[in-house]
Amino acid sequence: MLRYLLIRIARALAVVLCLSAVVFLLAHLIPGDPATLIAGENSTPELRAQITRELGLDQPVWSQYLSWLGHAVRGDLGNSLLDGQSVAAQVADRLPVSLELAVYAAVIAAVWGVPAGIWSAMHQGRAVDRLVNGTAFLGLAFPPFVVGTVMVLLVSRLTPGWPLFSFVPFDQDPLLNLQDLLLPAVALGIPFGATLCRYMRAAVLDVAGQDFMRTAAAKGAGRRRLMLRHALRNALVPVVTAGGLQLGVLVGGTVIVEQVFALPGLGSLIVNSITQHDFTVVQGAVLALGASYVVINLVTDLLYPLIDPRIRTTGARRDG
């Protein structure tokens, strides 16, 4: 079990390292001269050259990357080119909003997606199955930003008093916090729940056709007991895999939804920094977002042995 954990953690660290290199290179492709951004359009060439040297931008790219990576490992992501604020402080201030939105969306997705998938599998080929499948396909067909935009238009007309473009932290007012994040969470949770529904249905149907299910049925186990006690646990492994991957995508998907609902999360920070050519904030925020995705997938990997203990030995043996 320990070897399994160490291998997964080592792989996650390697992915984060590769991600940091990609993020650094892409951030430096953002148009604009940082020295001009700091000094202003009417500044002298001498001043811009001085700022370039102070920022280390006259060094080779690989040298700049190693310097930035060394500081990033210590938690220093640099300072904003616009206002000089710490990038790490801005990320720490905004990341909880994005994670909170992703958690709310995941809860909404699990509440309707998992039971709907089980219910559909239990009524395979019937009208209920076709209804659930049709609903899931519709949920997958509409991107979250489209759903969010439609919800803004409908709610603004039907319930004008609903707070559409505000945010209150959870520790200040939990009820208002839930109200502020409900609509964007629903916009993200609909397609996520549709994915969980499809995977849950397929996994349950796959498990239902195996020998141990027929044996349990022959011993007199009822249909409900077969599904809930025998099929569900064995069907959870592929669903947890899909859910973990989709949850990571969900964190990244908050970027556009935060813009639709004007939420002060990491996504809006990235979009605003790109438009303002503030590449230090972009690379720090994107790295934090990507690292969150890697951590979520690592947690998903570590859940496998708890769901299916056989993975503890087979996984470690295969990796070795």
Side-chain angles (χ1 to χ4, degrees), residues 11 14 18 32 75 85-86 89 101 103 153-154 220 227 239 253-254 259 261 263 267 288:
R11 287 180 177 177
C18 294
Q85 293 185 11
S86 168
L101 175 58
V103 169
L153 294 175
L154 290 177
M227 285 294 178
V239 175
T254 62
Q259 287 294 105
F261 291 92
L263 292 174

Side-chain angles (χ1 to χ4, degrees), residues 53-69:
R53 289 192 300 270
E54 291 175 353
L55 294 177
L57 298 178
D58 57 337
Q59 301 295 320
V61 175
W62 62 267
S63 178
Q64 295 181 46
Y65 167 69
L66 291 178
S67 176
W68 175 74
L69 181 63

